[in-house]
PDB file of all heavy atoms in Angstrom:
ATOM      1  N   LEU V   1     -28.945 -29.093 -11.488  1.00  0.00           N
ATOM      2  CA  LEU V   1     -29.199 -28.319 -10.236  1.00  0.00           C
ATOM      3  C   LEU V   1     -27.853 -27.862  -9.651  1.00  0.00           C
ATOM      4  O   LEU V   1     -27.721 -26.716  -9.193  1.00  0.00           O
ATOM      5  CB  LEU V   1     -29.991 -29.114  -9.304  1.00  0.00           C
ATOM      6  CG  LEU V   1     -31.498 -29.261  -9.613  1.00  0.00           C
ATOM      7  CD1 LEU V   1     -32.222 -30.124  -8.525  1.00  0.00           C
ATOM      8  CD2 LEU V   1     -32.194 -27.922  -9.768  1.00  0.00           C
ATOM      9  N   ALA V   2     -26.845 -28.762  -9.685  1.00  0.00           N
ATOM     10  CA  ALA V   2     -25.521 -28.395  -9.178  1.00  0.00           C
ATOM     11  C   ALA V   2     -24.930 -27.223 -10.003  1.00  0.00           C
ATOM     12  O   ALA V   2     -24.394 -26.290  -9.423  1.00  0.00           O
ATOM     13  CB  ALA V   2     -24.641 -29.621  -9.173  1.00  0.00           C
ATOM     14  N   VAL V   3     -25.118 -27.325 -11.268  1.00  0.00           N
ATOM     15  CA  VAL V   3     -24.547 -26.247 -12.140  1.00  0.00           C
ATOM     16  C   VAL V   3     -25.338 -24.978 -11.941  1.00  0.00           C
ATOM     17  O   VAL V   3     -24.746 -23.863 -11.909  1.00  0.00           O
ATOM     18  CB  VAL V   3     -24.624 -26.684 -13.609  1.00  0.00           C
ATOM     19  CG1 VAL V   3     -24.179 -25.566 -14.511  1.00  0.00           C
ATOM     20  CG2 VAL V   3     -23.680 -27.852 -13.908  1.00  0.00           C
ATOM     21  N   VAL V   4     -26.641 -25.062 -11.778  1.00  0.00           N
ATOM     22  CA  VAL V   4     -27.476 -23.848 -11.470  1.00  0.00           C
ATOM     23  C   VAL V   4     -27.007 -23.162 -10.227  1.00  0.00           C
ATOM     24  O   VAL V   4     -26.799 -21.911 -10.218  1.00  0.00           O
ATOM     25  CB  VAL V   4     -28.976 -24.255 -11.318  1.00  0.00           C
ATOM     26  CG1 VAL V   4     -29.787 -23.091 -10.680  1.00  0.00           C
ATOM     27  CG2 VAL V   4     -29.559 -24.656 -12.684  1.00  0.00           C
ATOM     28  N   ALA V   5     -26.760 -23.915  -9.146  1.00  0.00           N
ATOM     29  CA  ALA V   5     -26.331 -23.309  -7.889  1.00  0.00           C
ATOM     30  C   ALA V   5     -24.980 -22.671  -8.085  1.00  0.00           C
ATOM     31  O   ALA V   5     -24.669 -21.544  -7.617  1.00  0.00           O
ATOM     32  CB  ALA V   5     -26.286 -24.396  -6.797  1.00  0.00           C
ATOM     33  N   LEU V   6     -24.044 -23.332  -8.767  1.00  0.00           N
ATOM     34  CA  LEU V   6     -22.706 -22.787  -8.909  1.00  0.00           C
ATOM     35  C   LEU V   6     -22.676 -21.581  -9.861  1.00  0.00           C
ATOM     36  O   LEU V   6     -21.914 -20.650  -9.615  1.00  0.00           O
ATOM     37  CB  LEU V   6     -21.828 -23.906  -9.459  1.00  0.00           C
ATOM     38  CG  LEU V   6     -21.486 -25.048  -8.459  1.00  0.00           C
ATOM     39  CD1 LEU V   6     -20.773 -26.220  -9.150  1.00  0.00           C
ATOM     40  CD2 LEU V   6     -20.637 -24.511  -7.339  1.00  0.00           C
ATOM     41  N   VAL V   7     -23.510 -21.624 -10.865  1.00  0.00           N
ATOM     42  CA  VAL V   7     -23.604 -20.429 -11.767  1.00  0.00           C
ATOM     43  C   VAL V   7     -24.118 -19.256 -10.952  1.00  0.00           C
ATOM     44  O   VAL V   7     -23.682 -18.103 -11.085  1.00  0.00           O
ATOM     45  CB  VAL V   7     -24.515 -20.725 -13.007  1.00  0.00           C
ATOM     46  CG1 VAL V   7     -24.930 -19.377 -13.663  1.00  0.00           C
ATOM     47  CG2 VAL V   7     -23.821 -21.594 -13.933  1.00  0.00           C
ATOM     48  N   ALA V   8     -25.129 -19.479 -10.042  1.00  0.00           N
ATOM     49  CA  ALA V   8     -25.658 -18.426  -9.227  1.00  0.00           C
ATOM     50  C   ALA V   8     -24.645 -17.815  -8.357  1.00  0.00           C
ATOM     51  O   ALA V   8     -24.435 -16.573  -8.299  1.00  0.00           O
ATOM     52  CB  ALA V   8     -26.867 -18.908  -8.453  1.00  0.00           C
ATOM     53  N   VAL V   9     -23.904 -18.694  -7.648  1.00  0.00           N
ATOM     54  CA  VAL V   9     -22.826 -18.232  -6.697  1.00  0.00           C
ATOM     55  C   VAL V   9     -21.757 -17.491  -7.503  1.00  0.00           C
ATOM     56  O   VAL V   9     -21.298 -16.405  -7.055  1.00  0.00           O
ATOM     57  CB  VAL V   9     -22.280 -19.390  -5.875  1.00  0.00           C
ATOM     58  CG1 VAL V   9     -21.130 -18.974  -5.023  1.00  0.00           C
ATOM     59  CG2 VAL V   9     -23.386 -20.007  -5.058  1.00  0.00           C
ATOM     60  N   PHE V  10     -21.316 -18.075  -8.628  1.00  0.00           N
ATOM     61  CA  PHE V  10     -20.286 -17.475  -9.395  1.00  0.00           C
ATOM     62  C   PHE V  10     -20.711 -16.126  -9.879  1.00  0.00           C
ATOM     63  O   PHE V  10     -19.903 -15.148  -9.835  1.00  0.00           O
ATOM     64  CB  PHE V  10     -20.008 -18.418 -10.591  1.00  0.00           C
ATOM     65  CG  PHE V  10     -18.975 -17.856 -11.557  1.00  0.00           C
ATOM     66  CD1 PHE V  10     -17.618 -18.114 -11.394  1.00  0.00           C
ATOM     67  CD2 PHE V  10     -19.388 -17.129 -12.668  1.00  0.00           C
ATOM     68  CE1 PHE V  10     -16.694 -17.579 -12.254  1.00  0.00           C
ATOM     69  CE2 PHE V  10     -18.425 -16.614 -13.580  1.00  0.00           C
ATOM     70  CZ  PHE V  10     -17.088 -16.881 -13.353  1.00  0.00           C
ATOM     71  N   SER V  11     -21.914 -15.964 -10.414  1.00  0.00           N
ATOM     72  CA  SER V  11     -22.366 -14.685 -10.894  1.00  0.00           C
ATOM     73  C   SER V  11     -22.432 -13.626  -9.832  1.00  0.00           C
ATOM     74  O   SER V  11     -21.995 -12.478 -10.045  1.00  0.00           O
ATOM     75  CB  SER V  11     -23.834 -14.854 -11.512  1.00  0.00           C
ATOM     76  OG  SER V  11     -23.813 -15.787 -12.564  1.00  0.00           O
ATOM     77  N   ILE V  12     -22.901 -13.956  -8.650  1.00  0.00           N
ATOM     78  CA  ILE V  12     -22.940 -12.988  -7.557  1.00  0.00           C
ATOM     79  C   ILE V  12     -21.573 -12.555  -7.164  1.00  0.00           C
ATOM     80  O   ILE V  12     -21.306 -11.334  -7.043  1.00  0.00           O
ATOM     81  CB  ILE V  12     -23.743 -13.572  -6.394  1.00  0.00           C
ATOM     82  CG1 ILE V  12     -25.186 -13.785  -6.715  1.00  0.00           C
ATOM     83  CG2 ILE V  12     -23.625 -12.646  -5.100  1.00  0.00           C
ATOM     84  CD1 ILE V  12     -25.952 -14.597  -5.658  1.00  0.00           C
ATOM     85  N   ILE V  13     -20.719 -13.503  -6.960  1.00  0.00           N
ATOM     86  CA  ILE V  13     -19.335 -13.155  -6.520  1.00  0.00           C
ATOM     87  C   ILE V  13     -18.599 -12.310  -7.497  1.00  0.00           C
ATOM     88  O   ILE V  13     -18.003 -11.275  -7.209  1.00  0.00           O
ATOM     89  CB  ILE V  13     -18.553 -14.423  -6.162  1.00  0.00           C
ATOM     90  CG1 ILE V  13     -19.110 -15.158  -4.927  1.00  0.00           C
ATOM     91  CG2 ILE V  13     -17.059 -14.112  -5.970  1.00  0.00           C
ATOM     92  CD1 ILE V  13     -18.475 -16.475  -4.636  1.00  0.00           C
ATOM     93  N   VAL V  14     -18.619 -12.718  -8.795  1.00  0.00           N
ATOM     94  CA  VAL V  14     -17.917 -12.021  -9.840  1.00  0.00           C
ATOM     95  C   VAL V  14     -18.497 -10.589  -9.980  1.00  0.00           C
ATOM     96  O   VAL V  14     -17.760  -9.625 -10.106  1.00  0.00           O
ATOM     97  CB  VAL V  14     -17.994 -12.746 -11.180  1.00  0.00           C
ATOM     98  CG1 VAL V  14     -17.454 -11.909 -12.292  1.00  0.00           C
ATOM     99  CG2 VAL V  14     -17.127 -14.012 -11.092  1.00  0.00           C
ATOM    100  N   HIS V  15     -19.850 -10.429  -9.923  1.00  0.00           N
ATOM    101  CA  HIS V  15     -20.452  -9.144 -10.113  1.00  0.00           C
ATOM    102  C   HIS V  15     -20.067  -8.213  -8.956  1.00  0.00           C
ATOM    103  O   HIS V  15     -19.832  -7.033  -9.129  1.00  0.00           O
ATOM    104  CB  HIS V  15     -21.960  -9.281 -10.224  1.00  0.00           C
ATOM    105  CG  HIS V  15     -22.656  -8.001 -10.697  1.00  0.00           C
ATOM    106  ND1 HIS V  15     -22.199  -7.245 -11.773  1.00  0.00           N
ATOM    107  CD2 HIS V  15     -23.696  -7.303 -10.174  1.00  0.00           C
ATOM    108  CE1 HIS V  15     -22.948  -6.221 -11.902  1.00  0.00           C
ATOM    109  NE2 HIS V  15     -23.841  -6.192 -10.925  1.00  0.00           N
ATOM    110  N   VAL V  16     -20.047  -8.718  -7.756  1.00  0.00           N
ATOM    111  CA  VAL V  16     -19.664  -7.934  -6.574  1.00  0.00           C
ATOM    112  C   VAL V  16     -18.232  -7.529  -6.737  1.00  0.00           C
ATOM    113  O   VAL V  16     -17.846  -6.372  -6.479  1.00  0.00           O
ATOM    114  CB  VAL V  16     -19.888  -8.721  -5.285  1.00  0.00           C
ATOM    115  CG1 VAL V  16     -19.217  -7.973  -4.139  1.00  0.00           C
ATOM    116  CG2 VAL V  16     -21.365  -8.907  -4.996  1.00  0.00           C
ATOM    117  N   LEU V  17     -17.295  -8.433  -7.079  1.00  0.00           N
ATOM    118  CA  LEU V  17     -15.895  -8.060  -7.310  1.00  0.00           C
ATOM    119  C   LEU V  17     -15.692  -7.033  -8.351  1.00  0.00           C
ATOM    120  O   LEU V  17     -14.891  -6.091  -8.179  1.00  0.00           O
ATOM    121  CB  LEU V  17     -15.145  -9.365  -7.679  1.00  0.00           C
ATOM    122  CG  LEU V  17     -14.924 -10.340  -6.498  1.00  0.00           C
ATOM    123  CD1 LEU V  17     -14.277 -11.639  -7.046  1.00  0.00           C
ATOM    124  CD2 LEU V  17     -14.193  -9.767  -5.378  1.00  0.00           C
ATOM    125  N   LEU V  18     -16.416  -7.166  -9.481  1.00  0.00           N
ATOM    126  CA  LEU V  18     -16.298  -6.169 -10.590  1.00  0.00           C
ATOM    127  C   LEU V  18     -16.837  -4.822 -10.114  1.00  0.00           C
ATOM    128  O   LEU V  18     -16.311  -3.765 -10.432  1.00  0.00           O
ATOM    129  CB  LEU V  18     -17.074  -6.713 -11.757  1.00  0.00           C
ATOM    130  CG  LEU V  18     -16.481  -7.829 -12.564  1.00  0.00           C
ATOM    131  CD1 LEU V  18     -17.360  -8.295 -13.696  1.00  0.00           C
ATOM    132  CD2 LEU V  18     -15.092  -7.502 -13.106  1.00  0.00           C
ATOM    133  N   PHE V  19     -17.917  -4.891  -9.358  1.00  0.00           N
ATOM    134  CA  PHE V  19     -18.511  -3.629  -8.807  1.00  0.00           C
ATOM    135  C   PHE V  19     -17.529  -2.895  -7.894  1.00  0.00           C
ATOM    136  O   PHE V  19     -17.310  -1.736  -8.002  1.00  0.00           O
ATOM    137  CB  PHE V  19     -19.811  -3.952  -8.084  1.00  0.00           C
ATOM    138  CG  PHE V  19     -20.487  -2.793  -7.429  1.00  0.00           C
ATOM    139  CD1 PHE V  19     -21.267  -1.941  -8.144  1.00  0.00           C
ATOM    140  CD2 PHE V  19     -20.384  -2.591  -6.048  1.00  0.00           C
ATOM    141  CE1 PHE V  19     -21.880  -0.867  -7.578  1.00  0.00           C
ATOM    142  CE2 PHE V  19     -20.997  -1.528  -5.439  1.00  0.00           C
ATOM    143  CZ  PHE V  19     -21.803  -0.615  -6.189  1.00  0.00           C
ATOM    144  N   LEU V  20     -16.919  -3.641  -7.020  1.00  0.00           N
ATOM    145  CA  LEU V  20     -15.955  -3.042  -6.061  1.00  0.00           C
ATOM    146  C   LEU V  20     -14.719  -2.582  -6.828  1.00  0.00           C
ATOM    147  O   LEU V  20     -14.162  -1.528  -6.422  1.00  0.00           O
ATOM    148  CB  LEU V  20     -15.579  -4.087  -5.020  1.00  0.00           C
ATOM    149  CG  LEU V  20     -16.675  -4.478  -4.037  1.00  0.00           C
ATOM    150  CD1 LEU V  20     -16.157  -5.562  -3.058  1.00  0.00           C
ATOM    151  CD2 LEU V  20     -17.172  -3.313  -3.210  1.00  0.00           C
ATOM    152  N   GLU V  21     -14.311  -3.318  -7.874  1.00  0.00           N
ATOM    153  CA  GLU V  21     -13.143  -2.926  -8.604  1.00  0.00           C
ATOM    154  C   GLU V  21     -13.397  -1.624  -9.322  1.00  0.00           C
ATOM    155  O   GLU V  21     -12.549  -0.736  -9.424  1.00  0.00           O
ATOM    156  CB  GLU V  21     -12.836  -3.969  -9.582  1.00  0.00           C
ATOM    157  CG  GLU V  21     -11.474  -3.751 -10.314  1.00  0.00           C
ATOM    158  CD  GLU V  21     -11.067  -4.925 -11.183  1.00  0.00           C
ATOM    159  OE1 GLU V  21     -11.375  -6.073 -10.828  1.00  0.00           O
ATOM    160  OE2 GLU V  21     -10.364  -4.720 -12.231  1.00  0.00           O
ATOM    161  N   ALA V  22     -14.672  -1.489  -9.866  1.00  0.00           N
ATOM    162  CA  ALA V  22     -15.040  -0.248 -10.546  1.00  0.00           C
ATOM    163  C   ALA V  22     -14.995   0.921  -9.542  1.00  0.00           C
ATOM    164  O   ALA V  22     -14.558   2.064  -9.951  1.00  0.00           O
ATOM    165  CB  ALA V  22     -16.402  -0.421 -11.196  1.00  0.00           C
ATOM    166  N   PHE V  23     -15.434   0.692  -8.328  1.00  0.00           N
ATOM    167  CA  PHE V  23     -15.414   1.775  -7.310  1.00  0.00           C
ATOM    168  C   PHE V  23     -14.009   2.181  -6.884  1.00  0.00           C
ATOM    169  O   PHE V  23     -13.717   3.310  -6.569  1.00  0.00           O
ATOM    170  CB  PHE V  23     -16.175   1.337  -6.120  1.00  0.00           C
ATOM    171  CG  PHE V  23     -17.607   1.840  -6.055  1.00  0.00           C
ATOM    172  CD1 PHE V  23     -18.604   1.176  -6.664  1.00  0.00           C
ATOM    173  CD2 PHE V  23     -17.927   3.037  -5.456  1.00  0.00           C
ATOM    174  CE1 PHE V  23     -19.934   1.634  -6.653  1.00  0.00           C
ATOM    175  CE2 PHE V  23     -19.215   3.527  -5.385  1.00  0.00           C
ATOM    176  CZ  PHE V  23     -20.218   2.776  -5.984  1.00  0.00           C
ATOM    177  N   THR V  24     -13.108   1.181  -6.928  1.00  0.00           N
ATOM    178  CA  THR V  24     -11.754   1.456  -6.349  1.00  0.00           C
ATOM    179  C   THR V  24     -10.697   1.705  -7.415  1.00  0.00           C
ATOM    180  O   THR V  24      -9.513   1.843  -7.155  1.00  0.00           O
ATOM    181  CB  THR V  24     -11.338   0.324  -5.517  1.00  0.00           C
ATOM    182  OG1 THR V  24     -11.391  -0.955  -6.229  1.00  0.00           O
ATOM    183  CG2 THR V  24     -12.229   0.203  -4.232  1.00  0.00           C
ATOM    184  N   THR V  25     -11.122   1.718  -8.734  1.00  0.00           N
ATOM    185  CA  THR V  25     -10.203   2.031  -9.819  1.00  0.00           C
ATOM    186  C   THR V  25     -10.162   3.481 -10.112  1.00  0.00           C
ATOM    187  O   THR V  25     -11.246   4.052 -10.357  1.00  0.00           O
ATOM    188  CB  THR V  25     -10.607   1.183 -11.069  1.00  0.00           C
ATOM    189  OG1 THR V  25     -10.561  -0.223 -10.760  1.00  0.00           O
ATOM    190  CG2 THR V  25      -9.659   1.442 -12.193  1.00  0.00           C
ATOM    191  N   GLU V  26      -9.025   4.040 -10.193  1.00  0.00           N
ATOM    192  CA  GLU V  26      -8.896   5.445 -10.421  1.00  0.00           C
ATOM    193  C   GLU V  26      -9.320   5.772 -11.874  1.00  0.00           C
ATOM    194  O   GLU V  26      -8.968   4.999 -12.820  1.00  0.00           O
ATOM    195  CB  GLU V  26      -7.473   5.972 -10.240  1.00  0.00           C
ATOM    196  CG  GLU V  26      -6.949   5.801  -8.820  1.00  0.00           C
ATOM    197  CD  GLU V  26      -7.593   6.844  -7.845  1.00  0.00           C
ATOM    198  OE1 GLU V  26      -8.394   7.679  -8.346  1.00  0.00           O
ATOM    199  OE2 GLU V  26      -7.280   6.752  -6.649  1.00  0.00           O
ATOM    200  N   LYS V  27     -10.088   6.795 -12.035  1.00  0.00           N
ATOM    201  CA  LYS V  27     -10.501   7.293 -13.374  1.00  0.00           C
ATOM    202  C   LYS V  27      -9.453   8.147 -14.068  1.00  0.00           C
ATOM    203  O   LYS V  27      -8.699   8.780 -13.360  1.00  0.00           O
ATOM    204  CB  LYS V  27     -11.848   7.999 -13.311  1.00  0.00           C
ATOM    205  CG  LYS V  27     -13.029   7.191 -12.769  1.00  0.00           C
ATOM    206  CD  LYS V  27     -14.223   8.049 -12.752  1.00  0.00           C
ATOM    207  CE  LYS V  27     -15.428   7.303 -12.320  1.00  0.00           C
ATOM    208  NZ  LYS V  27     -16.637   8.117 -12.193  1.00  0.00           N
ATOM    209  N   GLY V  28      -9.452   8.110 -15.365  1.00  0.00           N
ATOM    210  CA  GLY V  28      -8.500   8.925 -16.131  1.00  0.00           C
ATOM    211  C   GLY V  28      -9.018  10.333 -16.318  1.00  0.00           C
ATOM    212  O   GLY V  28      -8.216  11.272 -16.532  1.00  0.00           O
ATOM    213  N   LYS V  29     -10.341  10.462 -16.321  1.00  0.00           N
ATOM    214  CA  LYS V  29     -10.924  11.853 -16.521  1.00  0.00           C
ATOM    215  C   LYS V  29     -12.186  11.963 -15.695  1.00  0.00           C
ATOM    216  O   LYS V  29     -12.777  11.028 -15.209  1.00  0.00           O
ATOM    217  CB  LYS V  29     -11.228  12.049 -18.027  1.00  0.00           C
ATOM    218  CG  LYS V  29     -12.277  11.102 -18.656  1.00  0.00           C
ATOM    219  CD  LYS V  29     -12.481  11.434 -20.022  1.00  0.00           C
ATOM    220  CE  LYS V  29     -13.642  10.509 -20.615  1.00  0.00           C
ATOM    221  NZ  LYS V  29     -13.926  10.869 -22.077  1.00  0.00           N
ATOM    222  N   ASP V  30     -12.619  13.248 -15.519  1.00  0.00           N
ATOM    223  CA  ASP V  30     -13.756  13.561 -14.677  1.00  0.00           C
ATOM    224  C   ASP V  30     -13.579  12.845 -13.377  1.00  0.00           C
ATOM    225  O   ASP V  30     -14.547  12.111 -12.870  1.00  0.00           O
ATOM    226  CB  ASP V  30     -15.065  13.116 -15.392  1.00  0.00           C
ATOM    227  CG  ASP V  30     -15.327  13.890 -16.661  1.00  0.00           C
ATOM    228  OD1 ASP V  30     -14.899  15.021 -16.792  1.00  0.00           O
ATOM    229  OD2 ASP V  30     -15.979  13.329 -17.599  1.00  0.00           O
ATOM    230  N   VAL V  31     -12.511  13.153 -12.703  1.00  0.00           N
ATOM    231  CA  VAL V  31     -12.148  12.557 -11.440  1.00  0.00           C
ATOM    232  C   VAL V  31     -12.908  13.288 -10.284  1.00  0.00           C
ATOM    233  O   VAL V  31     -12.850  14.481 -10.206  1.00  0.00           O
ATOM    234  CB  VAL V  31     -10.663  12.637 -11.205  1.00  0.00           C
ATOM    235  CG1 VAL V  31     -10.313  11.951  -9.804  1.00  0.00           C
ATOM    236  CG2 VAL V  31      -9.887  11.916 -12.307  1.00  0.00           C
ATOM    237  N   LYS V  32     -13.530  12.479  -9.436  1.00  0.00           N
ATOM    238  CA  LYS V  32     -14.245  13.059  -8.315  1.00  0.00           C
ATOM    239  C   LYS V  32     -13.378  12.990  -7.073  1.00  0.00           C
ATOM    240  O   LYS V  32     -12.762  11.942  -6.761  1.00  0.00           O
ATOM    241  CB  LYS V  32     -15.574  12.351  -8.068  1.00  0.00           C
ATOM    242  CG  LYS V  32     -16.705  12.719  -9.085  1.00  0.00           C
ATOM    243  CD  LYS V  32     -18.026  12.155  -8.720  1.00  0.00           C
ATOM    244  CE  LYS V  32     -19.059  12.680  -9.626  1.00  0.00           C
ATOM    245  NZ  LYS V  32     -18.857  12.302 -11.055  1.00  0.00           N
ATOM    246  N   LEU V  33     -13.320  14.074  -6.355  1.00  0.00           N
ATOM    247  CA  LEU V  33     -12.618  14.198  -5.094  1.00  0.00           C
ATOM    248  C   LEU V  33     -13.607  14.325  -3.970  1.00  0.00           C
ATOM    249  O   LEU V  33     -14.667  15.035  -4.070  1.00  0.00           O
ATOM    250  CB  LEU V  33     -11.709  15.428  -5.101  1.00  0.00           C
ATOM    251  CG  LEU V  33     -10.520  15.412  -6.016  1.00  0.00           C
ATOM    252  CD1 LEU V  33      -9.920  16.841  -6.174  1.00  0.00           C
ATOM    253  CD2 LEU V  33      -9.478  14.417  -5.434  1.00  0.00           C
ATOM    254  N   ILE V  34     -13.340  13.663  -2.889  1.00  0.00           N
ATOM    255  CA  ILE V  34     -14.188  13.769  -1.665  1.00  0.00           C
ATOM    256  C   ILE V  34     -13.416  14.425  -0.567  1.00  0.00           C
ATOM    257  O   ILE V  34     -12.275  13.988  -0.243  1.00  0.00           O
ATOM    258  CB  ILE V  34     -14.771  12.367  -1.296  1.00  0.00           C
ATOM    259  CG1 ILE V  34     -15.667  12.498  -0.068  1.00  0.00           C
ATOM    260  CG2 ILE V  34     -13.617  11.416  -0.996  1.00  0.00           C
ATOM    261  CD1 ILE V  34     -16.434  11.204   0.213  1.00  0.00           C
ATOM    262  N   VAL V  35     -14.006  15.441   0.036  1.00  0.00           N
ATOM    263  CA  VAL V  35     -13.355  16.167   1.148  1.00  0.00           C
ATOM    264  C   VAL V  35     -14.164  15.799   2.428  1.00  0.00           C
ATOM    265  O   VAL V  35     -15.345  15.928   2.459  1.00  0.00           O
ATOM    266  CB  VAL V  35     -13.409  17.652   0.921  1.00  0.00           C
ATOM    267  CG1 VAL V  35     -12.724  18.398   2.046  1.00  0.00           C
ATOM    268  CG2 VAL V  35     -12.756  18.090  -0.437  1.00  0.00           C
ATOM    269  N   ASN V  36     -13.380  15.351   3.418  1.00  0.00           N
ATOM    270  CA  ASN V  36     -14.024  14.942   4.665  1.00  0.00           C
ATOM    271  C   ASN V  36     -13.160  15.254   5.850  1.00  0.00           C
ATOM    272  O   ASN V  36     -11.969  15.607   5.692  1.00  0.00           O
ATOM    273  CB  ASN V  36     -14.377  13.407   4.637  1.00  0.00           C
ATOM    274  CG  ASN V  36     -13.181  12.583   4.373  1.00  0.00           C
ATOM    275  OD1 ASN V  36     -12.387  12.240   5.279  1.00  0.00           O
ATOM    276  ND2 ASN V  36     -13.013  12.154   3.142  1.00  0.00           N
ATOM    277  N   GLU V  37     -13.709  15.107   7.016  1.00  0.00           N
ATOM    278  CA  GLU V  37     -13.016  15.365   8.275  1.00  0.00           C
ATOM    279  C   GLU V  37     -11.969  14.260   8.562  1.00  0.00           C
ATOM    280  O   GLU V  37     -12.336  13.092   8.451  1.00  0.00           O
ATOM    281  CB  GLU V  37     -14.022  15.473   9.452  1.00  0.00           C
ATOM    282  CG  GLU V  37     -13.572  16.534  10.483  1.00  0.00           C
ATOM    283  CD  GLU V  37     -12.692  15.861  11.552  1.00  0.00           C
ATOM    284  OE1 GLU V  37     -12.641  14.622  11.616  1.00  0.00           O
ATOM    285  OE2 GLU V  37     -11.892  16.562  12.265  1.00  0.00           O
ATOM    286  N   ARG V  38     -10.776  14.638   8.856  1.00  0.00           N
ATOM    287  CA  ARG V  38      -9.692  13.649   8.926  1.00  0.00           C
ATOM    288  C   ARG V  38      -9.758  12.757  10.177  1.00  0.00           C
ATOM    289  O   ARG V  38      -9.417  11.527  10.118  1.00  0.00           O
ATOM    290  CB  ARG V  38      -8.332  14.338   8.886  1.00  0.00           C
ATOM    291  CG  ARG V  38      -7.141  13.422   8.858  1.00  0.00           C
ATOM    292  CD  ARG V  38      -5.831  14.167   8.885  1.00  0.00           C
ATOM    293  NE  ARG V  38      -5.682  14.929   7.653  1.00  0.00           N
ATOM    294  CZ  ARG V  38      -5.156  14.466   6.566  1.00  0.00           C
ATOM    295  NH1 ARG V  38      -4.797  13.187   6.438  1.00  0.00           N
ATOM    296  NH2 ARG V  38      -4.979  15.205   5.422  1.00  0.00           N
ATOM    297  N   TYR V  39     -10.151  13.307  11.294  1.00  0.00           N
ATOM    298  CA  TYR V  39      -9.907  12.631  12.573  1.00  0.00           C
ATOM    299  C   TYR V  39     -11.142  11.959  13.177  1.00  0.00           C
ATOM    300  O   TYR V  39     -11.047  11.460  14.280  1.00  0.00           O
ATOM    301  CB  TYR V  39      -9.346  13.620  13.570  1.00  0.00           C
ATOM    302  CG  TYR V  39      -8.065  14.260  13.118  1.00  0.00           C
ATOM    303  CD1 TYR V  39      -8.011  15.613  12.736  1.00  0.00           C
ATOM    304  CD2 TYR V  39      -6.892  13.554  13.005  1.00  0.00           C
ATOM    305  CE1 TYR V  39      -6.893  16.176  12.252  1.00  0.00           C
ATOM    306  CE2 TYR V  39      -5.724  14.100  12.546  1.00  0.00           C
ATOM    307  CZ  TYR V  39      -5.691  15.415  12.189  1.00  0.00           C
ATOM    308  OH  TYR V  39      -4.535  15.947  11.733  1.00  0.00           O
TER     309      TYR V  39
END
């Protein structure tokens, strides 16, 4: 049960970190630009 809980927490944290890293990593091709109001 201790391992089950730790695997669950580990999986959630790592997946969130990988997800955020994918969002914040610059792409080499097909780059999307977002235009928004500055102020």
Side-chain angles (χ1 to χ4, degrees):
L1 289 177
V3 176
V4 166
L6 290 169
V7 166
V9 174
F10 177 87
S11 299
I12 292 171
I13 292 175
V14 170
H15 191 49
V16 169
L17 290 174
L18 291 175
F19 177 78
L20 294 176
E21 188 173 330
F23 261 88
T24 55
T25 300
E26 297 287 359
K27 296 180 179 178
K29 62 177 183 177
D30 296 331
V31 180
K32 285 188 173 61
L33 290 165
I34 182 170
V35 183
N36 55 82
E37 212 275 339
R38 182 183 295 276
Y39 301 109

